[in-house]
Amino acid sequence: MRHPFDTLDWPIPTARLLLRRATPDDLDATWTFRQLPETQEWIGAAPATYDDYREHFLREERLADLLIVELDGRVIGDLTLRVQDAWAQKEVADQAKSVQGELGWTLDPAYGGKGYATEAVRALIDLAFGRLGLRRLCADCFYDNEPSWRLMERLGMRREQHTVKDSLHRTRGWLDGLSYALLAEEWPVPE
């Protein structure tokens, strides 16, 4: 089965950035910022060694969902979009196939505070609702990861759930979690 990204023409330019499909050649560039303590604090998987990271990064299903964010030819982050089926009753389940997606992002902290994450994720949302025709997007984070949930709110995502100590952090123990979502009909049409 083809990945939805296979239907798009790459790369995708934004005002300042370039989004493109990840390749095995992006291993070293992404390891550079993903191994930093301030990045590892919040990402879902933080392999301790380069070899462990290489094994994680090069998995075919991971590379398929991964986009690279470039600024002037330099890799400054990555984005994920996992296209999923929506929950549906059996009689209409075929209409719920591949209609929603889960977003994720990691930005090199050296490039934080300049609007690059907002610009990159906004472009990914445009792709998801526009060219891919998805109907709903969601994203989750720890409540303590304020930069992440603030980004979701800047993009107009709706906080749908605040759970109490249901999310286990590798060093902080049980933390509150947040879930955000956005429907295609809520997303402004790109200018």
Side-chain angles (χ1 to χ4, degrees):
M1 185 171 123
R2 288 181 63 190
H3 191 282
F5 285 160
D6 294 341
T7 65
L8 303 175
D9 292 325
W10 297 98
I12 308 288
T14 70
R16 303 177 292 172
L17 306 171
L18 194 70
L19 305 184
R20 62 172 176 79
R21 301 288 300 269
T23 71
D25 292 338
D26 295 312
L27 173 69
D28 290 341
T30 57
W31 168 251
T32 299
F33 61 85
R34 281 181 162 266
Q35 55 84 32
L36 298 172
E38 60 268 38
T39 304
Q40 286 195 350
E41 180 73 14
W42 301 116
I43 58 178
T49 68
Y50 180 81
D51 289 339
D52 291 342
Y53 180 72
R54 181 178 56 238
E55 182 179 325
H56 171 76
F57 183 84
L58 295 177
R59 287 192 337 250
E60 186 176 337
E61 65 276 8
R62 171 150 173 75
L63 275 177
D65 294 335
L66 192 64
L67 298 179
I68 296 298
V69 180
E70 287 186 0
L71 173 67
D72 299 326
R74 181 180 175 89
V75 175
I76 67 164
D78 57 60
L79 307 171
T80 57
L81 174 64
R82 290 182 191 90
V83 176
Q84 307 164 329
D85 298 344
W87 182 87
Q89 293 174 312
K90 183 178 180 179
E91 297 80 8
V92 290
D94 61 320
Q95 297 171 45
K97 298 270 186 220
S98 300
V99 296
Q100 64 187 32
E102 181 182 359
L103 301 172
W105 50 83
T106 304
L107 188 72
D108 184 334
Y111 295 90
K114 297 174 177 70
Y116 297 131
T118 303
E119 185 175 330
V121 177
R122 180 175 284 124
L124 182 56
I125 293 172
D126 283 342
L127 282 174
F129 288 147
R131 293 190 236 175
L132 295 179
L134 301 183
R135 62 169 298 279
R136 178 180 161 84
L137 296 172
C138 66
D140 299 318
C141 70
F142 291 105
Y143 178 81
D144 291 8
N145 185 356
E146 188 173 340
S148 192
W149 61 258
R150 288 209 182 275
L151 171 60
M152 292 182 241
E153 291 181 358
R154 262 194 316 281
L155 292 166
M157 297 183 80
R158 171 185 51 265
R159 185 181 290 185
E160 291 192 332
Q161 190 174 33
H162 179 161
T163 55
V164 178
K165 293 190 177 187
D166 77 323
S167 303
L168 186 57
H169 188 277
R170 69 180 64 83
T171 61
R172 296 179 181 217
W174 291 101
L175 298 177
D176 289 6
L178 296 174
S179 295
Y180 283 77
L182 185 66
L183 296 172
E185 65 231 34
E186 299 169 322
W187 185 245
V189 177
E191 300 169 4

